[in-house]
Amino acid sequence: MTSAARSRTGLKRWRKDYFGSPGAALMTLFSLAALGAILWVLVDWGLIRATFGAEGNQETCAAGGGACWSVIAVRWRVILFGIYPFEEQWRAALACGTVALVILLSCIPRLWSFGRLALIWTLGTALFYALMRGGVLGLAPVNEQQWGGLPLTLFVFVATGVIGMPLAIGLALLRRSDYPVIARVSGWIIDTIRSLPLLSILFTCAIVLPFMLPGFLIGEKLYRVVFGAALFFAAYQAEIIRGGFQGIPSGQEEAAKALGLSYWQRMGRIVLPQAFRLALPATINQFVIAFMETSLIVVVGFMELLAAGNTAFKTGDWKFAYAEVYVFIAAIYFTFVFGLSRYGAYLEARMNTGHAKD
Amino acid sequence: MDLTAPAIEITGLDKFYGSFHALKGIDLCVAKGEKVVICGPSGSGKSTLIRCINQLEEHDSGAIRVFGTALDDSLASLDEIRREVGMVFQQFNLFPHMTVLENCTLAPMLVRKTARAEAEAIAMRYLEKVRIPDQAQKYPGQLSGGQQQRVAIARALCMQPEILLFDEPTSALDPEMIAEVLDVMVTLAQEGMTMVCVTHEMGFARKVADRVIFMDKGEIVEEAAPEAFFTAPRSERTRLFLSQVLGH
């Protein structure tokens, strides 16, 4: 088919789909008008009548009548890095870059071997920690209590996934154990954690746990909270993986047994890869939720991205500019979550190659 | 493994599903190089019997020996037996997330610790034997049922087992694909592979079997050389079954 012919059928298709009947044409025109109106309001507010640059203030912004992006220009370091010491914020920025780089590298199929991923993650974690915590290489130490903004959000999210995913796999495997006691206990653990609100888990880890644990186990509050979030993530993710298990025909494991594969070989090569393929959409969903839920750690005293943004307009001069700050934060969340979704779609397409039938 | 011992020696095998008595004191001995075809109505326990040999089903009492190695509760004996006993399933059970070649090299590399290059050479040899070397880089989902079953046979052969078990290998195939799978099985039989086949392909039984076993209600009702089995069955149940299978 020539491209001209294709575009003609494309046009025909459009006419049929959107202007097929008077009702459809009316709906199409109405929707277009509504979309256009919304888009116009946004562009008018956010770009045309907006005030940019650090010189702007309440009066100049009000005179412009649009968005006051000056608040971002002036306060962006508070939003992104919270109360992390001002002169050291380059370290926090580098740490964010490190996390982003590690995540990007992990997404490249060529690097998907246990050794390479382990190396990337170990180096990445060490670099992130050295940059954020300091105390090495002549970097001034910064206490975890002073971490804030985007690096804190990323740290909690990534650590939740990195600790939570192996826990989830472990729980899911135990739950399908041949030994009824083990399977049932694992089921109870999952159900118990799922029955608790995340907030109560975070509170317990932050405040109650120190009274119950022996001194050497208490550790920094941040790590207790991350552990709680990971536990919560693991309980849900374990059920998602179990759903994946149920989609695999029993013949798969029988064939692996008949070939002489050991339990771990069967799980690692046959069962888990197929379970993850089946569970991928739900898994991406769970990661998105985990990313959003990092904002809850504000209740136990951590100034993650959203909380840091809140402080940015709480001080006198910028009280009026909360919408702009929220839009800015929303854009950051959107970037990460949209990237996650697109990556999920890419994985799905990749895993579906060769599965034309069945 | 003692290759001078009988390939498979089953004595007094009992198997229950709850209160259902699936196998009732089965005794069966298969010599090295022997081809045994097991037939019988559905629910007669024939699949259960061969699945006990490599312990996809656990039996409740009785003894199973493979080349002299007794199946006890130890994982070591189970591993040893599964290495020497290959199995081909009704539903093929190829691994859908791996290419044909990967399906064939996986177990030799993981279980026998064969180097990749050698495992791939072995795999190609057996894929040629089942006449689909050109499909090595495809995924199972891209193949026809007959091709998938031939890959499954090649996959089992790649472990270079002493014994092959076939669990109704042609029952899930479209009629026009049955012949290509049976041809491969006949070739294997002629080359001296020890085979135990659960199948309703009576033509195949007549052609290659040394012995045909008829099972019903968890018991071995009759066993005989194919000639005698098909022309002069002793038991009334066998005659009824044969008239149903061959009658149309």
Side-chain angles (χ1 to χ4, degrees):
Chain A
M1 203 191 287
T2 65
S3 69
R6 193 178 297 133
S7 76
R8 244 200 326 276
T9 56
L11 204 68
K12 217 166 145 190
R13 181 80 202 271
W14 272 72
R15 207 182 303 155
K16 178 170 157 284
D17 286 353
Y18 299 102
F19 296 93
S21 67
L26 204 67
M27 272 307 287
T28 303
L29 290 176
F30 176 77
S31 306
L32 279 177
L35 275 177
I38 293 170
L39 202 67
W40 168 251
V41 168
L42 287 179
V43 168
D44 180 51
W45 177 79
L47 294 175
I48 297 174
R49 290 195 290 150
T51 311
F52 296 89
E55 314 79 44
N57 57 38
Q58 192 162 5
E59 283 88 65
T60 54
C61 285
C68 186
W69 298 118
S70 306
V71 64
I72 310 297
V74 175
R75 305 287 286 168
W76 64 275
R77 288 180 67 152
V78 175
I79 300 174
L80 285 183
F81 304 121
I83 48 172
Y84 201 83
F86 193 78
E87 321 73 55
E88 306 288 344
Q89 282 177 1
W90 60 272
R91 285 161 50 184
L94 271 183
C96 286
T98 307
V99 178
L101 188 68
V102 165
I103 293 176
L104 280 180
L105 286 176
S106 310
C107 293
I108 301 173
R110 193 186 292 180
L111 298 175
W112 286 350
S113 80
F114 181 78
R116 286 174 193 163
L117 284 180
L119 182 73
I120 292 170
W121 280 90
T122 313
L123 284 180
T125 310
L127 187 60
F128 177 90
Y129 193 74
L131 282 167
M132 286 300 286
R133 185 71 176 78
V136 287
L137 305 170
L139 297 172
V142 179
N143 191 285
E144 281 87 348
Q145 284 295 320
Q146 290 173 280
W147 294 11
L150 187 58
L152 181 63
T153 291
L154 287 179
F155 173 77
V156 172
F157 169 63
V158 171
T160 299
V162 169
I163 301 168
M165 190 53 99
L167 268 179
I169 294 172
L171 282 172
L173 287 178
L174 289 176
R175 187 155 198 182
R176 75 193 284 281
S177 163
D178 286 336
Y179 310 109
V181 176
I182 293 178
R184 206 161 301 158
V185 168
S186 170
W188 282 336
I189 293 174
I190 292 170
D191 289 345
T192 305
I193 299 171
R194 283 198 308 172
S195 323
L196 300 169
L198 178 55
L199 272 184
S200 72
I201 293 180
L202 295 181
F203 264 122
T204 308
C205 288
I207 293 151
V208 184
L209 226 46
F211 296 111
M212 297 160 63
L213 289 176
F216 68 95
L217 260 182
I218 292 178
E220 188 63 39
K221 181 166 86 176
L222 178 60
Y223 305 132
R224 294 199 306 272
V225 168
V226 163
F227 177 74
L231 212 56
F232 189 77
F233 176 85
Y236 282 85
Q237 182 60 29
E239 286 296 280
I240 290 172
I241 296 173
R242 189 166 74 99
F245 287 153
Q246 287 175 343
I248 304 174
S250 61
Q252 288 291 309
E253 216 184 332
E254 286 179 354
K257 277 184 185 170
L259 285 167
L261 268 59
S262 70
Y263 174 81
W264 289 110
Q265 290 168 341
R266 294 198 301 271
M267 293 307 121
R269 301 303 189 98
I270 309 300
V271 175
L272 283 173
Q274 295 189 60
F276 268 100
R277 185 161 73 87
L278 293 169
L280 186 70
T283 301
I284 294 291
N285 202 19
Q286 194 57 36
F287 270 107
V288 168
I289 292 172
F291 193 79
M292 299 304 183
E293 280 174 348
T294 56
S295 60
L296 287 180
I297 63 171
V298 66
V299 299
V300 286
F302 288 105
M303 202 189 266
E304 43 64 58
L305 185 58
L306 186 59
N310 274 330
T311 61
F313 63 80
K314 284 282 155 60
T315 48
D317 307 350
W318 299 105
K319 269 213 164 69
F320 66 97
Y322 54 88
E324 289 82 351
V325 172
Y326 282 137
V327 168
F328 181 67
I329 295 169
I332 296 175
Y333 275 103
F334 179 84
T335 307
F336 279 94
V337 173
F338 193 72
L340 202 58
S341 307
R342 293 326 302 162
Y343 180 59
Y346 158 75
L347 275 187
E348 248 174 275
R350 184 190 147 82
M351 288 176 176
N352 277 332
T353 50
H355 294 281
K357 289 192 225 164
D358 73 65
Chain B
M1 282 292 144
D2 170 10
L3 292 184
T4 61
I8 302 169
E9 220 180 338
I10 296 172
T11 45
L13 195 71
D14 275 295
K15 165 80 186 166
F16 293 86
Y17 290 109
S19 60
F20 177 65
H21 203 166
L23 294 175
K24 300 170 183 164
I26 301 282
D27 295 306
L28 176 67
C29 193
V30 179
K32 182 169 161 56
E34 198 180 5
K35 295 104 188 80
V36 174
V37 165
I38 304 176
C39 58
S42 73
S44 60
K46 50 196 194 306
S47 283
T48 310
L49 173 62
I50 68 164
R51 286 160 59 88
C52 281
I53 297 170
N54 62 356
Q55 289 289 287
L56 295 184
E57 303 284 351
E58 284 177 34
H59 56 283
D60 293 298
S61 64
I64 299 173
R65 285 171 180 274
V66 174
F67 288 112
T69 304
L71 242 182
D72 46 35
D73 289 337
S74 72
L75 275 178
S77 73
L78 182 58
D79 286 345
E80 196 177 341
I81 285 171
R82 280 183 179 163
R83 270 201 299 276
E84 299 307 331
V85 180
M87 191 168 206
V88 177
F89 299 85
Q90 181 178 357
Q91 299 295 342
F92 330 135
N93 296 347
L94 293 176
F95 305 132
H97 58 303
M98 297 180 184
T99 62
V100 164
L101 189 64
E102 287 166 345
N103 264 280
C104 291
T105 56
L106 180 76
M109 286 169 62
L110 290 181
V111 180
R112 293 228 189 260
K113 311 289 176 206
T114 313
R116 177 183 294 277
E118 198 193 334
E120 287 181 353
I122 295 171
M124 288 315 293
R125 199 162 76 226
Y126 286 115
L127 286 173
E128 268 157 43
K129 191 182 203 78
V130 301
R131 298 189 278 277
I132 34 176
D134 46 324
Q135 313 282 1
Q137 298 304 329
K138 289 196 179 166
Y139 286 87
Q142 297 167 308
L143 305 182
S144 72
Q147 289 174 323
Q148 289 195 46
Q149 192 61 300
R150 285 186 283 149
V151 171
I153 294 174
R155 177 176 72 176
L157 288 172
C158 283
M159 280 296 283
Q160 302 181 309
E162 292 290 336
I163 303 169
L164 266 188
L165 308 174
F166 291 84
D167 188 0
E168 305 205 24
T170 56
S171 301
L173 293 175
D174 292 334
E176 76 273 19
M177 294 171 182
I178 292 176
E180 62 189 62
V181 171
L182 288 180
D183 283 349
V184 169
M185 290 169 64
V186 170
T187 311
L188 286 176
Q190 284 161 352
E191 288 172 2
M193 173 66 75
T194 310
M195 292 163 70
V196 181
C197 312
V198 171
T199 181
H200 291 138
E201 294 297 331
M202 292 301 134
F204 171 79
R206 221 187 274 264
K207 196 165 173 185
V208 305
D210 297 309
R211 194 155 36 121
V212 182
I213 290 176
F214 174 68
M215 285 183 73
D216 191 20
K217 301 198 173 80
E219 294 168 320
I220 293 180
V221 175
E222 182 158 353
E223 55 179 301
E227 190 56 34
F229 183 83
F230 289 110
T231 52
R234 289 187 302 273
S235 137
E236 185 54 40
R237 280 195 273 177
T238 314
R239 270 196 290 276
L240 181 65
F241 175 75
L242 283 177
S243 74
Q244 284 164 342
V245 180
L246 302 173
H248 50 86

